[in-house]
């Protein structure tokens, strides 16, 4: 049973970068896509992108292209979300979520990581 | 990609049915039968309660059902219960292999 464990809360200044991690032991057996979803305070869910099981392909929502990277470390079964050039609108809870195979549903979620962008 | 459109809130008395709509376009909801629904209680991560329009994950109450017509999907909760009070989000796979979520609906149990 894959359990997604995310890194702790972060406070960043505008213009900085942040890295959020998602430890997903066994996520590649069976192969799972890992998606990143964020939720601004009091707002809805926003899909950011996905990293495929073998880690060599990512697909990002258009608004994040050029500012977001999604990577993985196979030695530790950890996925990473890097977000650059932060602004106040990036203040949100960031979730990693698993899609098992091509099931088109997010059946496991991390606990969320609060990123606050403030000067 | 604009968010799918959901009503801001829906309310009902215990035991009554309610339906939440989710309207998209021919490039998302209307393109595939890959609509899913998520329930989110305050301070918690979302939980999937419906996928591929009308499939319930194991362990989800059969009081939840899903449907789709054209570019609009719907989630029905029959026999509303107190624990159903939460935020509900629809999501759809899109024609360009991305995902889009709905704007969210607050369900209020009167």
């Amino acid at each position: 049973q894959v359990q997604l464990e995310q890194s702790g809360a972060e406070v960043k200044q505008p213009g900085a970068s942040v890295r959020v991690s998602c430890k997903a032991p066994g996520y590649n057996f069976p192969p799972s896509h890992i998606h990143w979803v964020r939720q601004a305070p009091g707002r809805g869910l926003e899909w950011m992108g996905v990293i495929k099981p073998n880690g060599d392909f990512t697909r990002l929502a258009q608004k994040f292209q050029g500012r977001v990277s999604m990577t993985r470390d196979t030695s530790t079964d950890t996925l990473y979300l890097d977000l650059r050039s932060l602004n106040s609108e990036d203040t949100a809870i960031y979730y990693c979520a698993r899609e098992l195979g091509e099931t088109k549903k997010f059946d496991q979620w991390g606990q969320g990581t609060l990123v606050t962008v403030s000067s | 990609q604009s968010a799918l459109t959901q009503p801001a809130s829906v309310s009902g008395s215990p035991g009554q049915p309610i339906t939440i709509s989710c309207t998209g376009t021919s490039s998302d909801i209307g393109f595939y039968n890959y609509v899913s629904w998520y329930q989110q209680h305050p301070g918690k991560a979302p939980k999937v309660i419906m996928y591929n329009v009308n499939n319930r994950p194991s362990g989800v109450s059969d009081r939840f059902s899903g449907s789709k017509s054209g570019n609009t999907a719907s989630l029905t909760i029959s026999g509303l219960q107190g624990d159903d009070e939460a935020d509900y989000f629809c999501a759809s796979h899109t024609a360009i292999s991305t995902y889009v979520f709905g704007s969210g609906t607050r369900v209020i149990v009167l």
Side-chain angles (χ1 to χ4, degrees), chain A residues 39 45 59 104-106 109, chain B residues 38 40 46 51 97 99 101:
Chain A
Q39 186 171 32
L45 302 173
R59 187 179 296 279
K104 303 295 188 285
K105 61 176 164 78
F106 309 139
W109 292 70
Chain B
Y38 300 84
Q40 186 180 35
Y51 68 99
S97 297
Y99 284 84
F101 281 96

Side-chain angles (χ1 to χ4, degrees), chain A residues 62-76:
Chain A
Q62 185 174 9
K63 70 176 288 186
F64 296 110
Q65 291 175 9
R67 205 161 69 91
V68 163
S69 299
M70 296 177 184
T71 56
R72 67 161 196 170
D73 181 341
T74 55
S75 66
T76 60

Side-chain angles (χ1 to χ4, degrees), chain A residues 14-25:
Chain A
S17 299
V18 68
R19 166 168 280 196
V20 178
S21 67
C22 172
K23 188 169 178 63

Side-chain angles (χ1 to χ4, degrees), chain B residues 23-101:
Chain B
T23 301
T25 69
S26 57
S27 295
D28 39 64
I29 291 179
F31 198 83
Y32 290 118
N33 285 328
Y34 291 142
V35 178
S36 51
W37 289 88
Y38 300 84
Q39 177 192 62
Q40 186 180 35
H41 286 106
K44 301 294 187 181
K47 171 191 172 185
V48 62
I49 58 171
M50 196 68 58
Y51 68 99
N52 294 358
V53 176
N54 56 9
N55 289 266
R56 275 189 314 275
S58 174
V60 173
S61 171
D62 61 3
R63 296 184 297 105
F64 294 92
S65 61
S67 64
K68 191 190 92 166
S69 178
N71 297 336
T72 298
S74 298
L75 176 74
T76 296
I77 309 175
S78 63
L80 200 61
Q81 297 180 359
D83 190 51
D84 298 333
E85 187 160 288
D87 293 325
Y88 292 80
F89 297 91
C90 58
S92 177
H93 192 63
T94 76
I96 55 171
S97 297
T98 60
Y99 284 84
V100 59
F101 281 96

